[in-house]
Amino acid sequence: MNDLLKGKKGIIFGALDEKSMAWKVAEKAYEQGAIFTLSNTPVALRFGQLDELAKKTNSTIIPADATNIADLYDVFEKSMEILGGKVDFVLHSIGMSLNVRKKIPYPELNYDYYKKTLDISAISFHKILQVAYKLDAVNEWGSILALSYIAAQRTLYRYNDMADAKALLESIARSFGYIYGREKKVRVNTISQSPTMTTAGSGVAGIDSLIDFTERMSPLGNADAVDLADYTVTLFSDLTRKVTMQNLFHDGGFSSMGMSLRAMHQYNKSLEVDFPG
Amino acid sequence: MNDLLKGKKGIIFGALDEKSMAWKVAEKAYEQGAIFTLSNTPVALRFGQLDELAKKTNSTIIPADATNIADLYDVFEKSMEILGGKVDFVLHSIGMSLNVRKKIPYPELNYDYYKKTLDISAISFHKILQVAYKLDAVNEWGSILALSYIAAQRTLYRYNDMADAKALLESIARSFGYIYGREKKVRVNTISQSPTMTTAGSGVAGIDSLIDFTERMSPLGNADAVDLADYTVTLFSDLTRKVTMQNLFHDGGFSSMGMSLRAMHQYNKSLEVDFPG
Amino acid sequence: MNDLLKGKKGIIFGALDEKSMAWKVAEKAYEQGAIFTLSNTPVALRFGQLDELAKKTNSTIIPADATNIADLYDVFEKSMEILGGKVDFVLHSIGMSLNVRKKIPYPELNYDYYKKTLDISAISFHKILQVAYKLDAVNEWGSILALSYIAAQRTLYRYNDMADAKALLESIARSFGYIYGREKKVRVNTISQSPTMTTAGSGVAGIDSLIDFTERMSPLGNADAVDLADYTVTLFSDLTRKVTMQNLFHDGGFSSMGMSLRAMHQYNKSLEVDFPG
Amino acid sequence: MNDLLKGKKGIIFGALDEKSMAWKVAEKAYEQGAIFTLSNTPVALRFGQLDELAKKTNSTIIPADATNIADLYDVFEKSMEILGGKVDFVLHSIGMSLNVRKKIPYPELNYDYYKKTLDISAISFHKILQVAYKLDAVNEWGSILALSYIAAQRTLYRYNDMADAKALLESIARSFGYIYGREKKVRVNTISQSPTMTTAGSGVAGIDSLIDFTERMSPLGNADAVDLADYTVTLFSDLTRKVTMQNLFHDGGFSSMGMSLRAMHQYNKSLEVDFPG
């Protein structure tokens, strides 16, 4: 390893189990010399395996509901205490939609659930930023990242109101990134990751065939959680200090593809089935 | 006039007084042969001059809070009754932020106000679409439009949480546009308009100099409310049936400018002041 | 019809036969009251059916190689003479790649052909603009349009070096649009059209299945040449005066789609074929 | 240093003197453990200080005109010989416009110069990629980068035909990135860098005030050549393997800004001068 994060302190929100993107980020950050705390909701802590990760990475778990300001103050205050000072990086890997879970179609959204989707998946990022900012809890040239998805730009059936949440999340990154950069030299970005088979993602109907499609569309194939962790390390490091307010596609090229040979080849098989003879 | 909207029926949300963009749209739609209803909140009706517009365009006013589903059912049901059938177009020109009004800086957002900003300025568009969709209130090849602003893509200091609201609004247009197009052949778009000196806009501190800057940056100058009304007419007409899920910049070229001769020339004067001698 | 182009004069480059997009634009512009000249290369005139279009729309044909400045002077000078003054609109519908025709793969491009692709498909647009500008041949608030394709933003296998040509074309539209807007109040835009089965397009291998895919991806289906002609009329009209330097997607929503139900459904059939049992 | 490029081999095109971006990249790549060759034109070698860099970084200079295929074969073949195998990274930092140098305004472009601009600044990148591809000169998971500028998306007066060249360059990166990724798992990206005061750049009239403006617009200030070199190292490293076909803004946030407090404040001073009272 390269000691890319040697001496850096951080907070990682949203690791659940070893399939989680945040989990892989934690492992890689640890390998690269960082120290950090882990946070997730009490429910997630009960059902996940975060203790294992904490042990492995020598880190402390601070339970918090990321939509709750008081909880977030607790996370930042305790983290600074435990880590011995301000932090250098924060990862936001949080998202949930009851409309998706309950298979409520987009034109019939339940608005209470919709607001919850936005609150948990996007506004929580503003709250984390606000608390960090008010506490002055991030060192100069610190790096704050949230995980997003291309649904923020292009509609995917079934992704439902999570698309709106990701669009809002990316806007918050820009809006707050301006202020945080100007006032404290802290950068704020989002990574727009390939569809990734996490425990959360695996519940989404039809995700298998979507992943098959994006795999064939992407010249380098889908980026997985380990790839993401590697990329995240660079964005937490001092080598990317002037990158801010960006949404960075990390997807094997998918976002810049209109049609690939492999995906078209596969699609054509279906047409043969349709029009036999 | 060209009878571009002859025989078309519509609903226009958000006209307040003769400076309003929605007001100009109503006048042009009327000139082009459309019939429509007008809707705004009871408060806006009290302080605005909507009666005058209704008289001028021979239209009926239906008061409604666009965040209230029951009110929206009322608007669509009455409109269909008054206009004699389903509608062909809808304009959403609604936006408000208490954080802006109360000059609460973005990193210190009041979250109750923030949620209100999103609810009024963006989610109201989903609600309008949902009610229209559930009532099957829009004819095939109908056109639904909301007004947006480039702050959805690029941060402008002081535009505050309205930037996030516009990003969410544009995402809703895409997400619902997919469904509405697929199921009912209805198109949904947003127009990203130049900064425009409306009664609402004139309250924003510093808008004068921003408008001066964008005027000099835009090769054709800022688009005003009358220009917008013209453009809107084309997007309500049958000539643009295959345009959907788009955010259309209507801004004299501003969105594609990095730096203009005129803006740089003006800016340079300030530098001379800074560095005299 | 709506007399949207009544009194307007124009030049239409690139009509070949009745499947051509430029052909449909000519028909619609004529219906809307415009007068115009038609131009294409001598070869195209020999193999196409432009005489028929000229008769139908009461217009004169002026042969020209659009990469040849002298020819272009001829087109503009004769057009102003024939039409009785400066023009109000110009359509550029010109593109050709020998690399595509000869099936030379992109990594092995023949650079002489490549430069020809750029010259014919993109730089010709600059030349048309330059000649128009130098002759002051376009009225204030005139509208100049070129036809583009989403390959300018997203790679499609087999579209080859035409993707680069379209990217260059769109850049020229922005670069010249700034100058032409600032100096003469003339707007310059590109329309990014659905894949369209023209005589030129039908030579491209695999275009059938691509069109099948985009049809299923686009909530409103692909836009065809007649749809395009309608849309073009609005962009030539006085109702869109402040739209400039834009690339306007006219594609039934395709550009804003990540994955549709219908396309995924079709794709899934191919997976069943792959993984039977 | 972090040995991020330990064992990696590369080729760096376009270093001239110690202000060059490619120069700084070479220094950082060396610090991170890479070995590489340097290439520039014979003229540049005569007027620049490349010998000094070669000595410092223990590298060999291979003169080449990057528009000349034979020269490029020479560069790649010799590099593989000198470095002992295939390369892992390539940097393209090449651009030149005679239209800019001779102050020929964009609407009056000399087309011979224009084609030269495209050939030197964009097509040379295709040629480098083609030669590398045909020689199979890049290892799996290699990284090829070109330097771009936001003029590819937004028009800046005086940047002239270099804007079109950068748009073409970015398109080539996508088009070839698809093929190179699919066939060889090599990634191809562009970095869109802040305006940077290099020896080449310093000749551009008015660049001082543009840099003043972008400095005030960017929350983190402009990215300089050293920042760029740091960022480039991450993109050459194994930590960013799934990033391809992207244009990556490295600009302190400029690309996501509409208007900043500091820039507006400065601009306002000019307005006071204009409208004294």
Side-chain angles (χ1 to χ4, degrees):
Chain A
M1 285 303 122
N2 314 94
D3 285 343
L4 262 181
L5 303 183
K6 198 177 174 182
K8 299 234 175 276
K9 308 172 177 81
I11 305 174
I12 293 174
F13 288 92
L16 178 72
D17 60 29
E18 61 177 4
K19 286 179 171 176
S20 306
M21 293 185 277
W23 183 288
K24 302 296 187 195
V25 171
E27 291 183 334
K28 290 280 178 179
Y30 177 73
E31 283 176 23
Q32 292 283 359
I35 57 171
F36 45 84
T37 57
L38 300 165
S39 182
N40 209 329
T41 57
V43 170
L45 296 183
R46 208 155 50 242
F47 290 98
Q49 305 142 19
L50 209 53
D51 282 336
E52 189 192 317
L53 180 64
K55 215 169 293 171
K56 218 170 160 177
T57 61
N58 205 15
S59 51
T60 305
I61 298 169
I62 310 172
D65 169 357
T67 66
N68 182 305
I69 291 283
D71 282 14
L72 291 172
Y73 269 98
D74 193 51
V75 171
F76 276 90
E77 284 165 347
K78 283 199 180 132
S79 294
M80 289 195 284
E81 207 185 297
I82 292 165
L83 303 171
K86 295 187 193 188
V87 301
D88 301 287
F89 63 86
V90 177
L91 179 73
H92 176 283
S93 176
I94 301 172
M96 200 278 296
S97 161
L98 287 175
N99 284 304
V100 169
R101 279 204 199 164
K102 292 174 189 279
K103 301 191 197 306
I104 300 174
Y106 187 77
E108 294 165 32
L109 287 186
N110 173 306
Y111 289 110
D112 287 335
Y113 295 166
Y114 188 50
K115 285 172 190 177
K116 220 163 241 179
T117 299
L118 300 181
D119 203 26
I120 294 174
S121 313
I123 300 176
S124 64
F125 191 46
H126 192 289
K127 287 176 180 167
I128 285 172
L129 287 157
Q130 179 171 114
V131 168
Y133 186 84
K134 284 189 171 173
L135 286 174
D136 196 12
V138 182
N139 282 315
E140 268 205 359
W141 301 110
S143 175
I144 302 179
L145 265 178
L147 300 187
S148 192
Y149 184 47
I150 198 172
Q153 286 77 37
R154 299 187 208 156
T155 302
L156 293 107
Y157 89 103
R158 271 193 189 140
Y159 200 70
N160 209 320
D161 61 345
M162 279 303 294
D164 298 343
K166 292 304 192 188
L168 183 59
L169 178 77
E170 294 179 11
S171 179
I172 289 169
R174 285 189 297 274
S175 298
F176 218 122
Y178 164 54
I179 305 278
Y180 225 146
R182 187 185 77 195
E183 298 299 323
K184 304 279 184 182
K185 300 216 173 298
V186 169
R187 61 202 193 276
V188 185
N189 295 287
T190 50
I191 298 179
S192 186
Q193 166 73 2
S194 294
T196 309
M197 195 58 100
T198 59
T199 299
S202 64
V204 178
I207 197 170
D208 285 344
S209 46
L210 181 68
I211 286 181
D212 180 281
F213 176 75
T214 60
E215 175 74 22
R216 289 183 213 259
M217 279 286 275
S218 311
L220 297 178
N222 292 320
D224 66 19
V226 175
D227 296 325
L228 172 75
D230 281 337
Y231 189 40
T232 299
V233 161
T234 70
L235 293 166
F236 285 162
S237 83
D238 286 334
L239 299 175
T240 55
R241 283 184 171 192
K242 290 297 179 84
V243 177
T244 196
M245 301 174 75
Q246 302 301 312
N247 179 49
L248 299 157
F249 288 102
H250 181 255
D251 60 3
F254 177 78
S255 49
S256 293
M257 290 300 301
M259 183 44 73
S260 73
L261 176 66
R262 290 198 303 150
M264 199 74 238
H265 180 71
Q266 185 64 27
Y267 187 80
N268 283 346
K269 291 187 192 175
S270 74
L271 297 181
E272 288 156 27
V273 172
D274 265 348
F275 310 122
Chain B
M1 286 303 124
N2 313 93
D3 285 343
L4 262 181
L5 303 183
K6 198 177 172 182
K8 298 233 176 277
K9 307 173 177 80
I11 305 175
I12 293 173
F13 287 91
L16 178 73
D17 60 28
E18 59 175 6
K19 285 179 172 177
S20 307
M21 293 186 277
W23 183 287
K24 301 297 187 195
V25 171
E27 290 183 335
K28 289 280 178 179
Y30 177 73
E31 283 176 24
Q32 292 283 359
I35 57 172
F36 46 82
T37 57
L38 299 167
S39 182
N40 209 329
T41 58
V43 171
L45 297 182
R46 207 155 52 241
F47 289 98
Q49 304 141 22
L50 207 55
D51 283 336
E52 190 192 314
L53 179 65
K55 215 169 291 169
K56 221 171 160 177
T57 60
N58 205 17
S59 52
T60 305
I61 298 168
I62 309 173
D65 170 355
T67 66
N68 182 305
I69 292 283
D71 282 14
L72 291 173
Y73 270 98
D74 193 51
V75 170
F76 275 89
E77 284 165 346
K78 284 202 178 128
S79 293
M80 288 197 283
E81 205 185 300
I82 292 165
L83 303 171
K86 295 186 191 186
V87 302
D88 301 288
F89 64 85
V90 177
L91 179 73
H92 176 283
S93 176
I94 301 172
M96 201 277 296
S97 161
L98 285 175
N99 284 306
V100 170
R101 280 204 197 162
K102 291 174 190 282
K103 300 192 198 307
I104 300 173
Y106 187 77
E108 293 165 32
L109 287 186
N110 173 307
Y111 290 109
D112 288 334
Y113 295 166
Y114 188 50
K115 287 171 187 176
K116 221 165 240 178
T117 299
L118 300 181
D119 203 25
I120 294 175
S121 312
I123 300 176
S124 64
F125 192 47
H126 193 288
K127 288 175 178 168
I128 284 173
L129 286 157
Q130 177 171 115
V131 168
Y133 186 84
K134 285 188 171 173
L135 286 174
D136 196 13
V138 182
N139 282 313
E140 268 205 358
W141 301 110
S143 175
I144 302 179
L145 265 178
L147 300 187
S148 192
Y149 184 47
I150 198 172
Q153 286 78 37
R154 300 188 208 154
T155 303
L156 293 107
Y157 89 103
R158 269 192 191 142
Y159 199 71
N160 210 321
D161 61 346
M162 279 303 294
D164 299 342
K166 292 303 193 190
L168 183 59
L169 178 77
E170 294 180 11
S171 179
I172 289 169
R174 282 189 298 274
S175 298
F176 219 123
Y178 165 54
I179 305 277
Y180 225 145
R182 188 186 75 193
E183 298 298 324
K184 305 279 185 181
K185 300 213 170 303
V186 168
R187 60 203 194 274
V188 184
N189 296 287
T190 50
I191 298 179
S192 186
Q193 166 72 3
S194 293
T196 309
M197 195 57 101
T198 59
T199 298
S202 65
V204 179
I207 196 169
D208 285 345
S209 47
L210 180 67
I211 286 181
D212 180 281
F213 176 75
T214 61
E215 175 74 21
R216 288 185 214 258
M217 279 286 274
S218 311
L220 298 177
N222 292 320
D224 67 18
V226 174
D227 296 325
L228 171 75
D230 281 337
Y231 189 41
T232 300
V233 161
T234 69
L235 293 167
F236 285 162
S237 82
D238 286 334
L239 299 174
T240 55
R241 283 183 170 192
K242 291 296 179 82
V243 178
T244 196
M245 301 174 74
Q246 301 302 312
N247 179 47
L248 299 156
F249 288 103
H250 182 253
D251 61 3
F254 177 78
S255 48
S256 293
M257 290 300 302
M259 183 43 75
S260 74
L261 177 65
R262 291 199 301 152
M264 199 74 238
H265 180 73
Q266 184 65 26
Y267 187 81
N268 282 346
K269 290 187 191 175
S270 75
L271 299 180
E272 287 156 27
V273 172
D274 266 346
F275 310 122
Chain C
M1 286 301 123
N2 313 93
D3 284 344
L4 262 181
L5 302 182
K6 200 178 172 180
K8 298 233 175 278
K9 307 174 177 79
I11 304 175
I12 292 173
F13 288 91
L16 178 73
D17 60 28
E18 60 177 6
K19 284 179 172 175
S20 305
M21 293 185 277
W23 184 288
K24 301 298 186 194
V25 171
E27 290 183 335
K28 289 280 178 180
Y30 178 72
E31 283 175 23
Q32 292 283 357
I35 57 173
F36 47 81
T37 57
L38 300 166
S39 183
N40 209 328
T41 58
V43 170
L45 296 182
R46 207 155 50 242
F47 289 98
Q49 304 142 22
L50 208 55
D51 283 337
E52 189 192 315
L53 180 65
K55 214 168 293 169
K56 219 171 160 178
T57 61
N58 205 15
S59 52
T60 304
I61 297 169
I62 309 173
D65 170 357
T67 66
N68 183 305
I69 292 283
D71 282 15
L72 291 173
Y73 269 99
D74 194 51
V75 170
F76 275 91
E77 284 165 348
K78 283 201 180 129
S79 294
M80 288 196 284
E81 207 185 298
I82 292 165
L83 303 171
K86 295 185 192 186
V87 302
D88 302 289
F89 64 86
V90 178
L91 179 73
H92 177 282
S93 175
I94 301 172
M96 201 276 296
S97 160
L98 286 175
N99 284 305
V100 169
R101 280 204 198 165
K102 292 174 190 280
K103 300 191 195 308
I104 300 172
Y106 188 77
E108 293 164 32
L109 286 187
N110 173 307
Y111 290 109
D112 288 334
Y113 295 166
Y114 187 49
K115 284 171 190 177
K116 219 164 242 177
T117 299
L118 300 181
D119 204 25
I120 294 175
S121 313
I123 301 175
S124 64
F125 192 46
H126 193 287
K127 288 176 178 167
I128 284 172
L129 287 157
Q130 178 171 113
V131 168
Y133 186 84
K134 285 189 171 172
L135 285 174
D136 196 13
V138 182
N139 283 313
E140 268 204 358
W141 301 111
S143 174
I144 301 180
L145 265 179
L147 300 188
S148 193
Y149 184 47
I150 197 171
Q153 286 78 37
R154 300 187 209 155
T155 302
L156 293 105
Y157 88 104
R158 272 194 188 136
Y159 199 72
N160 209 319
D161 61 345
M162 279 302 295
D164 299 342
K166 292 304 192 188
L168 183 59
L169 178 77
E170 295 180 10
S171 180
I172 289 170
R174 284 189 297 273
S175 297
F176 218 122
Y178 164 55
I179 306 277
Y180 225 145
R182 187 186 77 194
E183 297 299 324
K184 304 279 184 180
K185 301 212 170 302
V186 169
R187 62 201 192 276
V188 185
N189 296 288
T190 50
I191 298 180
S192 186
Q193 167 72 5
S194 294
T196 309
M197 195 56 101
T198 59
T199 299
S202 64
V204 178
I207 195 170
D208 285 345
S209 48
L210 181 68
I211 287 182
D212 180 281
F213 176 74
T214 60
E215 175 74 23
R216 289 184 214 259
M217 279 287 275
S218 312
L220 297 177
N222 291 320
D224 66 20
V226 175
D227 296 326
L228 172 75
D230 281 337
Y231 188 41
T232 300
V233 161
T234 69
L235 293 167
F236 285 163
S237 82
D238 286 334
L239 299 175
T240 55
R241 285 185 169 189
K242 291 296 179 82
V243 178
T244 196
M245 302 175 73
Q246 301 302 311
N247 179 48
L248 299 157
F249 288 103
H250 181 254
D251 60 3
F254 178 77
S255 50
S256 293
M257 289 301 301
M259 183 43 72
S260 73
L261 176 65
R262 290 198 302 151
M264 200 73 239
H265 180 72
Q266 184 64 28
Y267 187 81
N268 282 346
K269 290 186 192 175
S270 75
L271 298 181
E272 289 158 25
V273 172
D274 265 346
F275 311 122
Chain D
M1 284 304 123
N2 313 95
D3 284 342
L4 262 181
L5 303 182
K6 197 176 175 181
K8 299 232 175 276
K9 310 173 174 81
I11 304 174
I12 293 174
F13 289 91
L16 178 73
D17 61 27
E18 61 175 5
K19 285 179 172 176
S20 306
M21 293 185 278
W23 183 288
K24 301 297 186 196
V25 171
E27 291 182 334
K28 289 280 178 179
Y30 178 73
E31 284 175 22
Q32 292 283 358
I35 57 172
F36 45 83
T37 58
L38 299 166
S39 183
N40 209 329
T41 59
V43 171
L45 296 183
R46 207 155 50 240
F47 289 98
Q49 305 141 22
L50 209 54
D51 283 336
E52 189 192 316
L53 180 65
K55 212 168 297 169
K56 220 172 161 176
T57 61
N58 204 17
S59 50
T60 305
I61 298 170
I62 310 171
D65 170 356
T67 67
N68 183 305
I69 292 283
D71 282 15
L72 291 173
Y73 270 98
D74 194 51
V75 170
F76 276 89
E77 285 164 348
K78 284 202 179 126
S79 294
M80 288 195 286
E81 205 186 298
I82 293 165
L83 303 171
K86 295 188 193 185
V87 302
D88 301 288
F89 63 86
V90 178
L91 179 73
H92 176 283
S93 176
I94 301 172
M96 199 278 295
S97 161
L98 286 175
N99 284 305
V100 169
R101 280 204 198 163
K102 291 175 190 280
K103 299 191 199 307
I104 300 173
Y106 188 78
E108 293 165 31
L109 288 186
N110 174 306
Y111 290 109
D112 288 335
Y113 294 166
Y114 188 50
K115 286 170 189 177
K116 219 165 242 177
T117 300
L118 299 181
D119 204 26
I120 294 174
S121 314
I123 299 175
S124 64
F125 191 46
H126 192 289
K127 288 175 179 167
I128 284 171
L129 286 157
Q130 179 171 113
V131 168
Y133 187 84
K134 285 188 171 174
L135 286 173
D136 195 13
V138 182
N139 283 313
E140 267 204 1
W141 301 110
S143 174
I144 302 179
L145 263 179
L147 300 188
S148 193
Y149 184 47
I150 197 171
Q153 286 78 38
R154 301 189 207 154
T155 303
L156 293 106
Y157 90 103
R158 270 190 191 143
Y159 199 70
N160 209 320
D161 61 345
M162 280 302 295
D164 299 341
K166 292 303 193 189
L168 183 60
L169 178 77
E170 294 180 11
S171 179
I172 290 169
R174 283 188 298 272
S175 298
F176 218 123
Y178 164 55
I179 305 278
Y180 226 145
R182 189 186 74 194
E183 299 298 324
K184 305 279 185 182
K185 300 216 172 299
V186 169
R187 59 202 194 275
V188 184
N189 296 288
T190 50
I191 298 180
S192 186
Q193 166 73 4
S194 294
T196 310
M197 195 57 103
T198 60
T199 300
S202 65
V204 179
I207 197 170
D208 285 346
S209 46
L210 181 68
I211 286 181
D212 180 281
F213 176 75
T214 60
E215 175 75 22
R216 289 185 214 259
M217 279 287 275
S218 311
L220 297 178
N222 292 321
D224 66 19
V226 175
D227 296 325
L228 173 75
D230 282 336
Y231 188 41
T232 299
V233 161
T234 68
L235 293 166
F236 285 162
S237 82
D238 286 333
L239 299 175
T240 56
R241 285 184 168 190
K242 291 295 180 84
V243 177
T244 196
M245 302 174 73
Q246 301 300 312
N247 179 48
L248 299 158
F249 288 102
H250 182 253
D251 61 3
F254 178 77
S255 50
S256 294
M257 289 300 302
M259 183 44 73
S260 74
L261 175 66
R262 290 198 303 150
M264 199 74 238
H265 180 71
Q266 185 64 25
Y267 187 81
N268 282 346
K269 290 186 191 174
S270 75
L271 298 180
E272 288 157 26
V273 173
D274 265 348
F275 311 120

